[in-house]
Amino acid sequence: MKLIFLGPPGAGKGTLAVRAVEIVGCPHISTGAIFREAIAAQSALGLKVKAIIDAGKLVDDDTTIELVKERLAQADAQKGYILDGFPRTIPQAQALAQFSVVEKVVNFDIPDSGVLERLGGRRVCRKCGYNFHTVFNKPKVADVCDHCGGEVYTRDDDRPEAVQKRLEVYRAQTAPLIDFYRQQGILVDIDASPMVDEIVVSFKRVLGL
Ligand code: AP5
Ligand code: MG
């Protein structure tokens, strides 16, 4: 299936995607994760985007579109994908339509209070990117990833100033995509506030799986 996960920062897109990969059997492609890997590797892309991401702003459309176009051309994405964090602007959505036909857009519905609670406690594995939380999903051993043994840290863009900026950017530039895809008749809404097991059930239901 060719899916988009759309929703505000901290809605739980990445967390559900880890579960959804097993259900739909397609790769999880997170533009944010690709940028974070580039930053960690100190590649040309990483050096270009680090300050932008840390400030909670968006990377430019051309760079992001090219990156996704190349990623979707790879063999594992031919039968489907879960796009998490892309598109994030109307021009990105228009560009995507030129090189891939999206089947469904899953819109994560959650109030700002839920977002702030989730981002305020998020801890991430530096090695495999798994998302933990200081209250909802603690690693078994403090600061060590349960899955790969990597170091668990707090993302630079989860500082309060950057979170506020990301929410503003979401409202101004990304939320218009809800109507864009609703008008195309491919948008489905899920309540993203419950715990993840419950969201998995909603996910299967809205997609008829
Ligand atoms: P990106 O990594 O995509 O960040 P984001 O959209 O801000 O989303 P998050 O990863 O913060 O949230 P999430 O919804 O995945 O939540 P998570 O599952 O972690 O992008 C980062 C940056 O890269 C952007 O700001 C931008 O600069 C740049 N970028 C990326 N894509 C771009 C694009 N297309 N164009 C331009 N720039 C782009 O969950 C959050 C926390 O809550 C975790 O701690 C988790 O454990 C917990 N949690 C999750 N679900 C639940 C649940 N059901 N119950 C309880 N706790 C939960
Ligand atoms: Mg994420």
Side-chain angles (χ1 to χ4, degrees), residues 16 19 191 193-203 205:
L16 180 66
R19 301 281 296 272
D191 176 5
S193 292
M195 293 308 284
V196 70
D197 285 341
E198 203 175 311
I199 301 173
V200 168
V201 174
S202 309
F203 171 75
R205 181 174 37 79

Side-chain angles (χ1 to χ4, degrees), residues 60-161:
D60 68 277
D61 284 339
D62 288 349
T63 302
T64 313
I65 291 164
E66 198 47 39
L67 182 94
V68 173
K69 194 173 177 184
E70 281 175 21
R71 181 64 188 85
L72 293 193
Q74 289 175 21
D76 66 335
Q78 297 317 302
K79 60 179 176 176
Y81 48 74
I82 298 169
L83 265 181
D84 162 10
F86 182 93
R88 245 182 170 90
T89 63
I90 296 281
Q92 289 180 15
Q94 289 166 334
L96 174 64
Q98 304 297 312
F99 56 84
S100 192
V101 179
V102 174
E103 288 167 69
K104 287 281 181 214
V105 178
V106 180
N107 179 41
F108 287 61
D109 191 15
I110 186 166
D112 284 1
S113 55
V115 161
L116 295 174
E117 189 179 37
R118 287 187 184 174
L119 292 182
R122 176 164 58 190
R123 308 271 285 140
V124 183
C125 174
R126 214 179 270 287
K127 206 165 144 198
C128 74
Y130 188 89
N131 292 312
F132 293 94
H133 192 278
T134 49
V135 177
F136 305 126
N137 184 17
K138 292 186 207 173
K140 292 193 184 83
V141 177
D143 302 333
V144 179
C145 177
D146 295 354
H147 306 279
C148 73
E151 181 206 355
V152 172
Y153 78 112
T154 300
R155 272 169 51 175
D156 288 341
D157 60 348
D158 281 346
R159 285 173 296 106
E161 322 83 82

